[in-house]
Structure formats: C-alpha cells, structure tokens
Amino acid sequence: MSRLRALRELSACLRGEPPENPDWGELLALANQGLVTPGLAATLRPHIGQVPPQVWAFLEDVQRRNRERNRRLNAQLEDAVGALNGAGIEPVLLKGAAQMAACPPGEAFDRMLSDLDLMVLPAQVDDALRALTGAGFTSLRRHEGLSVHAVAELGRPEDVGHLDLHQRAPGPPGIADTEDLAARRSRLKIQTGTVFLPDTASQILYLVLHDQFHDGDYWRGGFDLRHLMDLARLTPELTDDDWRWLRGACATRLVRAALDAQLLSAARLVGPAGRAARADLHARWTHQRWRLQFAYPGYRNPLAALTLALEWPGLMAHRAANREGRQRVLGASAPEPYAPAARLDRVRRIMAGAGGKI
C-alpha cells in the first residue's frame, strides 16, 4: 500500500468520512506516527459501525489512556501555574497547553500533548526557575542566552511530560515577539491561579512559525497532522479583522507563503479550514511538494535543495527582515542564533524530522 493511499484514507477518517474497506493496519500506523490516534477515535465514534471491532477496541483504549494522561498533564500545569503565580508571574500558555486550558469544563480533550509550553518574560526567567524548582520541578536541561526561545525543560518523577519554559515563542523574534502579539492575549482563571492565552489568530501564527521555520517543515516537507487539526479547529473562529491582522503579522512573503500552504494542507487533509485558505499557485505547488516529500522520502532532500534554490531571493529578504527584527527586539548586540557549525547541525536535525511529523 502506498504512503499516499494511507494518508488519503487517514485524512478521510479524520474528516469524519471513513472510506470503504481501508487498510486499517497502515492507517493506524500513520495515525500513531502523527500522534493523532486519540483524535481519530473521536472523529470515528459516530461511524463506529464501519470500524472493525478489534480496531475500535484499540482506538478506544488509546483514547482512554490519552485522556488520563491529559488529566495528569493538566494537574501538572496547575501545580506549575500555582508556583509561578506565587512568585508574581502569570505565564503565557502556548500550543497544546493553551488549547487544553481553554477547553470548556466537562468537554473531552482528545489532542495528544508532547509537553507543556509556558512562556514568561526574559526578565522573569530566573524567578520562574526558582519558583518551579521550589515546587519540586527539576531542571533537566538549561539553555542560556537572550537568543534562545526555550530556556529550560523541567519535570518531576511522577510527571508524564516535561514543562518547556520559554522566554519567547519559537520563530523569528521580530515576528514572534512583538508588542502587537502581546496585546492580543487574554487572562484566564484556572483552578490554581491565572494565565494568559494568545487569541486565535496569534495561536495560528505561532503554529506556522513553529512548524515551518523552527522545525523547518517548509523545506523538508511532510505534515504535522496534530497541528493541521489544530488549524482546522481554530480558523473558523477568525473574523475578517483577524485575517487582515494575521496576514500583516506574517511580515515577509516567505512567512505568508508558508501560512497559505499550511492552511491549504489543513483544508485538504483534515478540513474544514479550506474556506479561508488562499489556494494560489504557490500554495498549491508547496502543498504538492510536501505530499511528494511525504510519499517518496528519497526525494525529500533533493526537493528541499531545489526549493531553496528557487526561493533563494525570498529567503534572503526574509533573513534580512529577521536581522532587523532581532535587533529591534533583542538589541543591536544580540548574537546570531546559530554559529556555522550549529547551523549545519540544525539542517541535519530538520531533515531528520521531529516527533509527530509524517
């Protein structure tokens, strides 16, 4: 069975439109790789009669286990927020942590989380680390310097995931760390204290910057199905004003191209974000290139190199805008984020892929 057929069948199921006689083994393997098996169970529940009993038993077991894991992650998040609030810090929640906190009480939350992303101001990092370690969290890894976005990973023996402490969101600081973005957050009361949540348009921008530029998906191709499902849930909430702000906040043509292509992928693979996607020629080609890189892994690097050559002028303009943004946000003396050797290592890691990518 081809990888593209497995993707088509999984995509149909994630849209709530299961095909007849799919290859359930290949479909489930791809869902597991993409970390969307609990969401697959949720979308297939109304179609349970079309699912073989042994497949449904597996899906239901994964969904049950993930809900228990999310319950424990939520308790972990509340402990962390209580400790930070006690030090006078109200963190910003990012990605899955923000979506979990915003989930209405009593509503099932079937997204799988890798970790919990919390963001504080750079000036609050040391106080935040002291508060968290005082609450029993151990620092597992520490990253130094203003140029990094994630400063520490923390955890406890009883936890099922790590806390990722950020001082800024992933992505170019001139785009991901602006005053405009900070103004689009709202305070949310949870059981143990208060946090800030980015609004819907900001969450979409953060996802695009994280996937396409921090993780390098724009070049390596393939898909992050969890985040495409996030986009499918988030985009229907956007107003016309939100869309105008979002496209302006992308700041460079390359980021806007990545936004359009990722939204188009969400539309075609998991729906229903497509009504808002700009399916111009560049977005359609980028989506098709990502499909080819997914279907034929041997073409992944050659197609990435070809794209780099074809889009070199746009990339150089993007990098120039990033340098200006870094100087504006971090100061004129801020170091470049990657030395030449580190940049080569980053390219290797990008092409190898990260957890949850297909």
Side-chain angles (χ1 to χ4, degrees):
M1 179 178 177
S2 73
R3 285 167 61 84
L4 276 179
R5 180 183 169 191
L7 180 61
R8 283 195 298 270
E9 293 183 346
L10 174 59
S11 296
C13 289
L14 291 173
R15 292 193 301 268
E17 305 165 357
E20 291 187 10
N21 301 316
D23 186 322
W24 287 105
E26 294 288 339
L27 189 157
L28 291 176
L30 195 58
N32 292 340
Q33 182 185 349
L35 306 181
V36 295
T37 308
L40 177 64
T43 58
L44 285 179
R45 186 169 292 276
H47 310 278
I48 190 172
Q50 297 174 246
V51 182
Q54 67 273 25
V55 171
W56 183 249
F58 170 77
L59 289 172
E60 200 167 38
D61 186 54
V62 172
Q63 184 183 51
R64 177 183 60 80
R65 290 172 182 268
N66 187 64
R67 287 180 178 179
E68 171 59 19
R69 184 175 187 272
N70 283 347
R71 184 194 66 77
R72 293 176 63 182
L73 283 170
N74 192 63
Q76 179 183 348
L77 177 64
E78 289 179 349
D79 289 347
V81 169
L84 291 172
N85 283 182
I89 300 170
E90 293 177 301
V92 180
L93 303 187
L94 301 175
K95 298 193 299 179
Q99 295 181 48
M100 182 172 67
C103 185
E107 184 174 311
F109 183 69
D110 286 316
R111 188 191 190 277
M112 187 174 283
L113 302 180
S114 301
D115 47 34
L116 296 169
D117 294 289
L118 297 83
M119 183 169 66
V120 301
L121 296 173
Q124 296 174 325
V125 167
D126 289 339
D127 288 341
L129 287 171
R130 278 192 292 270
L132 291 170
T133 54
F137 292 93
T138 299
S139 181
L140 306 173
R141 182 182 298 178
R142 179 74 192 272
H143 306 283
E144 302 286 351
L146 280 176
S147 62
V148 299
H149 68 276
V151 294
E153 294 178 11
L154 303 102
R156 301 173 299 188
E158 68 270 24
D159 291 335
V160 294
H162 293 164
L163 292 178
D164 270 11
L165 185 67
H166 295 246
Q167 62 182 347
R168 57 180 47 86
I175 301 176
D177 198 26
T178 65
E179 292 182 2
D180 192 22
L181 269 164
R184 298 181 70 92
R185 298 167 188 156
S186 59
R187 184 179 276 108
L188 176 70
K189 180 74 171 68
I190 65 174
Q191 186 172 346
T192 56
T194 56
V195 297
F196 282 100
L197 294 185
D199 75 342
T200 301
S202 301
Q203 291 190 51
I204 291 172
L205 179 62
Y206 286 145
L207 284 173
V208 171
L209 295 177
H210 177 275
D211 289 355
Q212 304 304 320
F213 298 100
H214 176 66
D215 282 358
D217 289 1
Y218 187 80
W219 312 106
R220 71 178 294 275
F223 305 99
D224 188 319
L225 291 177
R226 278 189 310 165
H227 290 172
L228 294 186
M229 293 178 73
D230 293 341
L231 291 172
R233 286 192 295 267
L234 291 168
T235 49
E237 301 175 9
L238 294 178
T239 66
D240 290 342
D241 286 342
D242 289 332
W243 278 111
R244 283 190 289 271
W245 175 86
L246 179 58
R247 293 197 63 77
C250 286
T252 69
R253 289 183 61 186
L254 187 61
V255 179
R256 286 191 289 273
L259 169 72
D260 293 340
Q262 194 164 3
L263 290 179
L264 182 62
S265 296
R268 292 188 173 179
L269 295 181
V270 298
R275 62 188 184 87
R278 295 166 60 96
D280 61 14
L281 181 61
H282 190 279
R284 293 198 299 273
W285 154 245
T286 302
H287 171 74
Q288 290 301 327
R289 171 171 63 81
W290 292 346
R291 285 172 61 89
L292 285 171
Q293 289 171 299
F294 162 78
Y296 306 102
Y299 292 169
R300 178 159 282 166
N301 290 357
L303 283 172
L306 175 63
T307 303
L308 189 65
L310 293 175
E311 302 199 21
W312 188 257
L315 176 60
M316 291 300 99
H318 174 76
R319 290 188 63 184
N322 286 349
R323 282 194 294 270
E324 292 181 8
R326 286 177 57 79
Q327 292 174 358
R328 185 172 64 252
V329 172
L330 303 180
S333 61
E336 285 293 319
Y338 301 106
R343 191 179 297 277
L344 181 59
D345 182 62
R346 172 170 160 75
V347 170
R348 291 194 189 100
R349 286 188 288 108
I350 284 174
M351 299 316 297
K357 310 288 184 181
I358 64 167

